Amino acid sequence: MKESHPVKAAVDKVVDAVTGDGPEIPGAPSSRPPAVEEPTEPREPLPPKPDQRGPEPYSPTGQPLDVPPSDLAQGGAYLTTAQGLRLRDTDHSLKAGPRGPVLLQDHHLREKIMHFDHERIPERVVHARGAAAHGVFKSYGTATTVTKAALFAKGAETPVFVRFSTVLGSRGSADTVRDTRGFATKFYTSEGVWDLVGNNIPVFFIQDAIKFPDIIHAAKPHPDREIPQAQSAHDTFWDFVSLHTEATHHTLWNMSDRGIPRSFRTMEGFGIHTFRLVDAEGATTLVKFHWKPKAGVHSLTWEEAQLINGMDPDFHRRDLADAIEAGAYPQWELGIQTFPDTPEQTFQGIDLLDPTKIVPEELAPVQPIGLLTLNANPSNFFAETEQVAFHPGHLVPGIDVTDDPLLAGRLFSYLDTQLTRLGGPNFAQIPINRTHAPVNDMLRDGMHQTAVHQGVAPYRPNSLDGGCPFVAGAQNGAYVEVPVEVAAAPKVREAPASFADHFTQPRLFWLSLSPVEREHVIAAYTFELGKVYEQAIRERNLRVLAEIDPHLCEQVAQGLGLPAPEPSQPLPNPQPSPALSQVGDTWPVTGRIVGIIADGDGDLRAVSALRQEVLDADMVPLVIAPTGGTLAADGAEPVTVQRTFATARSVEFDALLLAGSPAPGMDAYGARDAKAGTATITETVVDPRVLLMLSEAYRHAKPVGGWGDISGVLELAGVPTQAPGVLVASDAQAALRETIRLLTEHRVWNRFPSAPMS
């Protein structure tokens, strides 16, 4: 077992699943399989599934509770009101006779409907659509030279809750839209809660938080029609970013493959801002935080993303939950770039307070300081994922903020928004938000106050409560802001001159991409600007692209049918940063999904053996067959089917392996399944939906192939057998070995040549 995938017991769970001793695949909705008939014998609620757990049992005042988390959930075999009154009937309102009017005195009806009417709280203005998981952060101890924060002590283990999200869409939008993703981590440290609230892109659209309403209003759906949902391909977004060119760097990242991640598990995370760390002696260091996925940084193709949005709009959240349930626990290393804390707060000419700038890793390497493992799914989406409240101002001793003007506004905004979303100032008492450190805050009353306070003197100084609570000194773990000297200066609404360079770093990013990644950027700009109605906005954005690179500008202009403008000034020549490219390295294949296409006439012994070998490689095998149930032939052990030709689509899989030549299923005709096309069952020897899957996977540069006599099937699918990454092996094991090798590079990048640079 690989070190990056240490939980063998969880993987054994998947093996048991394949051998019939557990659920066949991740996604079982309950901890016990249901009976066909409605249960009538009273019983206690079912326990959570093995992959689930709720918030740690802490009181509203941060005291550990000596009870299992399940005791904090609802219990009892009988239905009750919110006050615990057992109910005889919840299907009929109290009426004056069977046909009479409903009576006002029906307290159960009123409570049930009242609560239903208020089940939804206001969704987040941004980052509304999210998914989350519980986990643990284990420190390597390497950060103790720059910070005294207790969670970074060598070997320290800290519970965490991590929420991933899109930015623009509503809660009901799709997962695989082109957008920035949130990567927010709540550390329940012994010194209080620390929230590292970041994104999967290291820079932001704006340099000052006062412009945050502008960029979000521009990117959100048009206010007159409320369209388009969760997309930037519209006039208001491109109007703003072309007039406000400090947004260029973030926009370019969004138009790259980073805007459509393969999964949350293969996303980088960034703290965006420069923070200040303080060591035990009071010395300070400026840092940027990075989350590096152990599985590598990978993305979807644009066509895949579009297909997934229709086929499975929950693709990313399902992938995260299924991986945890299957025991393929997602992992990231937390790393820091460190910089001297000088009065100028710059590093090699880069302003560290400008959130639209990065420091290339070649100039300041990312130093690993700990490992994050997500190992449990939430037990209730609303109570945990929806009600979790992050705030960049949730800090612990040893971590301080800087004067980044975007961060300053976030310190106000995050706290302010919780008042509306979560019903008042006591959102920290919601179980998922509760600190694991003792609380004595003198904050009283307010909506949803659940702590029962004692004493008569919630003020300082006091004598009636014996003077408690007392202030602490630094030696007792008190948080002390770094006494940074503030230079004398006039009050102005200005930005530093160093903030004015809006194009050098976008050009750095462009020059750092591989040829195929540049092709994807060109396609993204062409698609997005092609959706813009006003030609003036298209022309203005081409002027912006001209300041980045002539080839980029020319290719997009050609796609739009417009002339390519010249740059207004000589282009800079920054040194490319290979760390910015997602291509050219190799990564573990843990959690990759391999589709095995088979039917009852194939070699099921080979299919069973292959399935086990996929599991042994820490990947997930899914058998795709004409129908559900099991495949059985030639006296072999039955093979359980996870997907059918009707329900499967290529975008769900990282690779496809073909076992034989599957004949058309009984539903392989257009009126039943449009994916089958117009051919009748008698007109084809291979199920047309299999041909479609193979064709799509080939087009999306995925490993495709199998073993035995499959060349004819590949040819029917339009897949050249001599093309890179197309496998025609002598046996299943050989096909899998080559598939694994190809998957370490994520895709078969050399399958399609890029257009020549002009």
Side-chain angles (χ1 to χ4, degrees):
M1 192 64 65
K2 297 181 180 66
E3 186 175 345
S4 61
H5 186 23
V7 273
K8 184 177 185 304
V11 176
D12 289 342
K13 174 174 176 279
V14 182
V15 177
D16 292 342
V18 175
T19 58
D21 295 330
E24 281 297 331
I25 54 173
S30 176
S31 59
R32 304 267 177 90
V36 175
E37 304 297 332
E38 178 185 355
T40 56
E41 186 68 25
R43 55 154 300 145
E44 292 291 318
L46 293 176
K49 296 196 301 175
D51 63 290
Q52 295 177 323
R53 75 163 182 259
E56 294 293 326
Y58 277 77
S59 76
T61 55
Q63 302 299 322
L65 302 177
D66 189 19
V67 295
S70 58
D71 284 2
L72 302 180
Q74 295 198 346
Y78 295 97
L79 178 69
T80 73
T81 67
Q83 308 304 316
L85 178 68
R86 289 186 179 181
L87 293 165
R88 182 182 63 86
D89 186 319
T90 191
D91 295 330
H92 306 93
S93 301
L94 187 66
K95 299 186 291 289
R99 298 174 58 82
V102 175
L103 300 178
L104 181 63
Q105 72 182 66
D106 190 348
H107 58 91
H108 173 47
L109 168 69
R110 294 183 64 198
E111 180 187 67
K112 187 175 180 180
I113 296 300
M114 177 275 294
H115 199 281
F116 170 78
D117 288 345
H118 297 277
E119 281 183 359
R120 299 295 175 264
I121 65 175
E123 70 176 28
R124 290 166 169 86
V125 177
V126 289
H127 298 278
R129 180 171 181 81
H134 295 275
V136 63
F137 175 78
K138 185 171 183 178
S139 171
Y140 297 156
T142 50
T144 55
T145 57
V146 290
T147 179
K148 62 183 178 182
L151 81 152
F152 293 127
K154 184 174 178 58
E157 295 192 10
T158 302
V160 299
F161 190 70
V162 180
R163 186 178 188 271
F164 305 100
S165 56
T166 54
V167 172
L168 295 180
S170 67
R171 275 190 62 189
S173 58
D175 276 350
T176 61
V177 295
R178 184 180 293 282
D179 196 3
T180 306
R181 264 71 181 178
F183 192 133
T185 307
K186 185 176 290 291
F187 297 81
Y188 302 95
T189 87
S190 60
E191 299 175 295
V193 167
W194 176 44
D195 286 345
L196 180 55
V197 194
N199 288 335
N200 74 319
I201 291 175
V203 293
F204 205 63
F205 285 109
I206 54 175
Q207 296 167 326
D208 191 309
I210 199 170
K211 292 174 285 195
F212 191 71
D214 300 309
I215 179 58
I216 297 304
H217 288 167
K220 283 283 192 177
H222 290 201
D224 55 347
R225 302 186 181 187
E226 187 63 13
I227 55 175
Q229 175 63 242
Q231 298 178 55
S232 56
H234 55 91
D235 286 64
T236 57
F237 174 80
W238 290 100
D239 182 43
F240 179 83
V241 299
S242 60
L243 292 169
H244 205 69
T245 54
E246 70 190 54
T248 302
H249 196 189
H250 189 132
T251 302
L252 185 62
W253 278 72
N254 246 5
M255 294 303 107
S256 76
D257 291 343
R258 302 284 186 138
I260 41 176
R262 160 63 179 82
S263 69
F264 295 138
R265 298 182 289 132
T266 59
M267 258 180 19
E268 274 186 299
F270 303 92
I272 303 171
H273 310 286
T274 299
F275 291 84
R276 178 177 279 110
L277 298 186
V278 187
D279 70 14
E281 282 70 46
T284 61
T285 305
L286 300 181
V287 302
K288 286 183 176 289
F289 290 104
H290 296 249
W291 289 113
K292 296 286 188 181
K294 298 285 278 186
V297 187
H298 308 300
S299 297
L300 299 167
T301 67
W302 181 227
E303 185 187 31
E304 280 182 296
Q306 293 177 88
L307 290 171
I308 292 169
N309 281 339
M311 183 201 76
D312 185 4
D314 304 307
F315 184 76
H316 281 161
R317 61 170 58 176
R318 190 187 311 281
D319 175 270
L320 176 67
D322 283 357
I324 292 171
E325 185 175 357
Y329 295 160
Q331 293 184 316
W332 291 259
E333 279 193 314
L334 180 62
I336 53 174
Q337 289 178 297
T338 61
F339 319 101
D341 190 359
T342 62
E344 297 77 21
Q345 296 179 314
T346 63
F347 183 79
Q348 299 208 13
I350 301 168
D351 194 324
L352 297 175
L353 298 188
D354 183 349
T356 69
K357 304 292 194 300
I358 65 166
V359 178
E361 294 183 27
E362 291 75 18
L363 299 181
V366 176
Q367 305 167 55
I369 62 174
L371 180 67
L372 165 68
T373 302
L374 298 184
N375 54 21
N377 287 311
S379 57
N380 184 274
F381 183 92
F382 178 82
E384 300 170 75
T385 306
E386 187 61 20
Q387 290 197 120
V388 66
F390 296 96
H391 176 32
H394 291 162
L395 301 165
V396 293
I399 304 174
D400 203 348
V401 300
T402 58
D403 292 332
D404 177 339
L406 177 63
L407 178 57
R410 293 179 72 199
L411 292 172
F412 170 81
S413 178
Y414 277 73
L415 190 63
D416 188 59
T417 192
Q418 313 303 349
L419 298 177
T420 297
R421 284 202 64 250
L422 300 176
N426 291 309
F427 61 85
Q429 296 181 19
I430 296 172
I432 194 61
N433 296 322
R434 289 177 184 171
T435 180
H436 294 188
V439 174
N440 195 348
D441 56 17
M442 296 196 301
L443 305 176
R444 293 295 184 267
D445 306 340
M447 293 287 288
H448 309 303
Q449 176 61 258
T450 58
V452 181
H453 294 100
Q454 299 179 16
V456 297
Y459 53 84
R460 268 196 51 81
N462 76 75
S463 63
L464 294 177
D465 283 344
C468 186
F470 300 89
V471 296
Q475 70 278 11
N476 302 119
Y479 187 87
V480 181
E481 289 79 5
V482 175
V484 178
E485 187 170 332
V486 179
K491 291 190 295 184
V492 294
R493 292 187 181 272
E494 296 177 4
S498 57
F499 279 36
D501 180 1
H502 299 163
F503 299 116
T504 298
Q505 288 223 331
R507 180 158 173 76
L508 162 68
F509 182 70
W510 168 260
L511 294 176
S512 302
L513 299 180
S514 66
V516 68
E517 290 173 299
R518 293 183 188 182
E519 290 293 328
H520 293 168
V521 171
I522 291 169
Y525 270 103
T526 305
F527 176 89
E528 297 256 329
L529 292 174
K531 292 280 190 176
V532 168
Y533 180 85
E534 298 290 350
Q535 181 165 319
I537 296 176
R538 298 183 186 183
E539 293 177 357
R540 193 189 310 134
N541 277 282
L542 289 174
R543 292 181 186 176
V544 173
L545 296 183
E547 307 295 340
I548 300 174
D549 188 81
H551 180 72
L552 170 62
C553 183
E554 289 164 6
Q555 294 299 303
V556 175
Q558 183 178 355
L560 298 176
L562 295 171
E566 294 294 323
S568 64
Q569 56 191 346
L571 298 181
N573 288 300
Q575 186 69 28
S577 170
L580 297 178
S581 174
Q582 297 181 205
V583 178
D585 205 343
T586 58
W587 298 271
V589 297
T590 302
R592 291 304 180 118
I593 301 175
V594 178
I596 306 171
I597 304 173
D599 64 10
D601 296 328
D603 183 356
L604 297 187
R605 288 185 175 86
V607 171
S608 293
L610 176 66
R611 193 175 181 187
Q612 185 60 51
E613 290 186 27
V614 173
L615 275 171
D616 291 342
D618 292 344
M619 299 188 296
V620 179
L622 298 179
V623 173
I624 314 164
T627 66
T630 59
L631 295 175
D634 302 330
E637 286 292 322
V639 174
T640 303
V641 175
Q642 283 82 38
R643 299 291 187 272
T644 68
F645 296 164
T647 61
R649 199 69 188 258
S650 67
V651 291
E652 186 178 0
F653 309 98
D654 294 295
L656 286 175
L657 294 178
L658 189 61
S661 177
M666 296 304 296
D667 57 349
Y669 54 93
R672 181 72 63 83
D673 187 352
K675 296 195 301 298
T678 58
T680 65
I681 298 176
T682 58
E683 292 177 334
T684 180
V685 295
V686 179
D687 194 296
R689 295 163 298 181
V690 170
L691 301 180
L692 176 63
M693 278 191 284
L694 294 170
S695 173
E696 286 180 348
Y698 174 78
R699 195 164 67 241
H700 299 149
K702 297 177 179 178
V704 174
W707 67 97
D709 187 17
I710 63 167
S711 296
V713 180
L714 295 175
E715 290 173 4
L716 286 173
V719 177
T721 56
Q722 301 303 312
V726 178
L727 319 171
V728 181
S730 58
D731 55 58
Q733 287 68 37
L736 180 60
R737 283 195 299 271
E738 182 62 11
T739 298
I740 291 174
R741 186 189 70 79
L742 292 168
L743 284 178
T744 63
E745 300 177 3
H746 181 55
R747 293 188 192 273
V748 186
W749 294 109
N750 62 341
R751 183 170 289 166
F752 304 111
S754 301
M757 296 287 285
S758 58

